[in-house]
Amino acid sequence: MADYEEENSGIPLTIRSAHDGSCVPYLAVDFDGSPSGGEFPITRRVGDEDDLTTAQLEAIDMRYVTCADGFLKVADGASVGLLRKGEEDGWRKCAAAASGASIGGSLEITDDARPADVGFEVGASLCAVTAEGRIARATITNIVYNAGYGDSLATVEFELATWKRK
């Protein structure tokens, strides 16, 4: 495995319901994205994928899709896993969790789905090996239900760290 060096740490990242009553908009997450926004931000509200370039679509690692339920959906070709609370040191364990793709295709994080039962809780991390070869760790710092549209949809706050190949 290649050696990595820390690129970013302590980047605040929040996901919340992107829709306003319809099921169409979703929140796209690109762990390679820029914390300051621009053409490739870390998160973006997507109402119509036709408005995105091919490069923007290919950069998406996950989608937070909310309608009646809230799902974190892994983008095709992306490698994303869940690292349990207490296992968050360094990039190696995160890379291993991501390579195992432990959340499969999607993870329901609606309150009544009891996501903490599978380890989605404060202190756990979403880990990804990105399209650009970075390792990203988004550590959950807060989960609030009933904070957006719908009774049980989650608003989740993370602290993002990334590592790049040396």
Side-chain angles (χ1 to χ4, degrees):
M1 183 181 273
D3 225 5
Y4 286 80
E5 63 186 357
E6 187 173 74
E7 179 180 35
N8 292 303
S9 66
I11 304 295
L13 168 64
T14 301
I15 61 169
R16 65 178 42 89
S17 177
H19 77 85
D20 54 5
S22 69
C23 296
V24 176
Y26 65 84
L27 188 68
V29 179
D30 171 11
F31 291 119
D32 285 319
S34 170
S36 59
E39 184 180 356
F40 292 93
I42 296 172
T43 60
R44 137 189 346 251
R45 184 176 187 265
V46 178
D48 186 348
E49 287 191 347
D50 290 339
D51 294 338
L52 301 179
T53 66
T54 301
Q56 289 169 330
L57 281 170
E58 290 173 353
I60 295 172
D61 295 299
M62 299 186 74
R63 292 168 172 82
Y64 184 34
V65 180
T66 56
C67 190
D69 299 312
F71 288 91
L72 284 172
K73 296 188 176 208
V74 178
D76 290 340
S79 182
V80 181
L82 183 64
L83 187 64
R84 285 199 173 264
K85 179 179 179 177
E87 296 290 327
E88 61 271 349
D89 64 323
W91 59 266
R92 284 181 174 84
K93 287 184 181 180
C94 204
S99 70
S102 60
I103 68 170
S106 69
L107 176 65
E108 185 175 356
I109 60 171
T110 308
D111 188 23
D112 55 3
R114 299 172 45 173
D117 289 355
V118 296
F120 192 86
E121 62 183 325
V122 172
S125 301
L126 290 176
C127 293
V129 177
T130 70
E132 293 182 17
R134 286 181 179 84
I135 296 170
R137 181 187 69 220
T139 302
I140 302 167
T141 58
N142 192 31
I143 302 173
V144 177
Y145 297 97
N146 303 323
Y149 188 87
D151 291 5
S152 62
L153 297 177
T155 295
V156 185
E157 297 172 6
F158 299 90
E159 188 172 279
L160 179 65
T162 59
W163 292 265
K164 63 181 180 179
R165 285 193 177 116
K166 286 185 178 180

